[in-house]
Amino acid sequence: MDSPTDTRAADPDEALRAQLATTAVHAFAAPPAWRSIEFISDLHLQPQLPLTWHSWQRYLQASTADAIFMLGDLFEAWVGDDALDEADSFEAACAQTLREASGQRALFFMHGNRDFLIGAQFAQRSGMQLLPDPSCLAFLGQHWLLSHGDALCVEDSEYQRFRAVARSPAWQQQILAQPLAQRRQLAGAMRSQSEARRMREVITADVDTKAALAWLQQAQAHTLIHGHTHRPASHPLDADHQRVVLTDWDTDLEPARAEVLRIDAAGLQRIALDDYLARPPQPGAR
């Protein structure tokens, strides 16, 4: 008979938690001049949702933050940086929008489960800085742990198997070697599969508390900020730690859904996009 220890060792969830506990956390400090930062994620930008795309453009123009952190799934799908060279492509238009915004404030991007193929070429063209997942930001005397969040959804075993393959350099090289048109077809098929899974009411597992706490303790941070789950809320993990979940964006539907998470001298606050655009917040005094 297997011992209890052997049983736990055979548990794939426990194995993944152990693996996550050894993940290196990238650390960096905000410049002293920064007074406010903002976070968005899960916009799933695509040509089929023009109102959401225009809302994002308006937000980038209106933002009063010193830096904007986009924590993954900015795009519904990313088929490769060479899409930037396709005449009149949606990807090129997005890169131009970001390039214009980068002249006003610092832009950071973290890969999500939909746009993990974004590479250095797009970052350079758009004026963004790529961030490893997870990253820990020192700002206003605190450490803020940043993640897209998908790696922490331990119980979503189907997705975790895909993620392990899709994040490998060999798999990505194989995909990017295909013609661009073929990659676009593949992205469309994957979107259809994702929608079918949602329609079957398969509920994506939420962020695992043990794994999140392990990352927070390693980073010496009290708050994890992430997206991915589309369940915006603040969740206490224990007496000293919490995770704050960003909302997804969709302004093509009624009621529209879009929100900005802001940190400044006033603290951490959620701001509905309509309210933000009507009255952009002023930088708090330090």
Side-chain angles (χ1 to χ4, degrees):
M1 179 180 291
D2 290 339
S3 67
T5 301
D6 292 335
T7 301
R8 285 194 298 270
D11 183 345
D13 290 353
E14 286 299 328
L16 182 54
R17 289 187 187 99
Q19 178 182 341
L20 288 169
T22 65
T23 301
V25 177
H26 171 71
F28 68 110
W34 284 10
R35 294 190 292 170
S36 59
I37 55 177
E38 292 170 354
F39 302 91
I40 59 175
S41 75
D42 298 278
L43 278 70
H44 296 266
L45 297 175
Q46 53 188 298
Q48 295 82 1
L49 299 178
L51 296 182
T52 302
W53 185 61
H54 287 302
S55 295
W56 173 65
Q57 288 183 306
R58 292 177 62 201
Y59 162 67
L60 290 178
Q61 294 167 358
S63 175
T64 60
D66 295 298
I68 298 174
F69 290 78
M70 292 165 276
L71 300 185
D73 284 5
L74 179 62
F75 298 96
E76 172 66 10
W78 190 263
V79 295
D81 287 5
D82 55 339
L84 296 167
D85 299 324
E86 192 174 57
D88 301 321
S89 71
F90 178 74
E91 292 85 354
C94 290
Q96 180 60 35
T97 296
L98 288 164
R99 167 60 66 180
E100 293 170 359
S102 70
Q104 303 299 317
R105 58 195 45 83
L107 301 179
F108 295 85
F109 173 79
M110 182 177 286
H111 292 108
N113 54 294
R114 300 298 186 105
D115 46 23
F116 55 86
L117 288 177
I118 283 179
Q121 181 184 354
F122 178 72
Q124 183 178 14
R125 285 270 292 269
S126 60
M128 296 192 306
Q129 180 176 331
L130 298 179
L131 278 180
D133 187 354
S135 289
C136 186
L137 169 66
F139 178 60
L140 292 181
Q142 296 188 47
H143 288 169
W144 308 87
L145 183 61
L146 313 179
S147 175
H148 177 58
D150 60 321
L152 295 169
C153 292
V154 171
E155 294 183 1
D156 192 352
S157 55
E158 180 181 346
Y159 169 69
Q160 293 300 339
R161 287 193 294 270
F162 168 75
R163 189 180 193 277
V165 173
R167 297 303 178 98
S168 69
W171 185 91
Q172 294 186 10
Q173 183 177 8
Q174 181 181 7
I175 291 296
L176 293 173
Q178 298 177 9
L180 179 58
Q182 186 173 340
R183 278 177 271 146
R184 290 198 185 280
Q185 291 178 349
L186 177 61
M190 293 178 69
R191 281 197 299 270
S192 298
Q193 292 173 3
S194 177
E195 181 65 14
R197 186 182 186 211
R198 186 188 68 81
M199 293 300 291
R200 292 198 309 268
E201 297 184 348
V202 176
I203 300 174
T204 302
D206 208 347
V207 162
D208 185 83
T209 297
K210 290 182 180 178
L213 281 171
W215 274 9
L216 284 163
Q217 290 161 356
Q218 179 184 352
Q220 297 182 338
H222 295 288
T223 299
L224 165 65
I225 298 174
H226 71 86
H228 180 62
T229 64
H230 296 206
R231 300 171 182 173
S234 296
H235 303 275
L237 299 173
D238 62 16
D240 300 315
H241 302 88
Q242 67 171 340
R243 60 183 179 91
V244 176
V245 188
L246 303 171
T247 188
D248 60 316
W249 283 32
D250 191 338
T251 60
D252 284 80
L253 292 178
E254 290 292 342
R257 186 172 59 251
E259 190 177 77
V260 177
L261 184 72
R262 183 180 175 94
I263 302 175
D264 58 19
L268 189 152
Q269 53 189 318
R270 297 178 181 273
I271 308 174
L273 181 63
D274 286 346
D275 295 338
Y276 193 112
L277 296 176
R279 182 177 294 182
Q282 297 305 306
R286 292 291 293 271

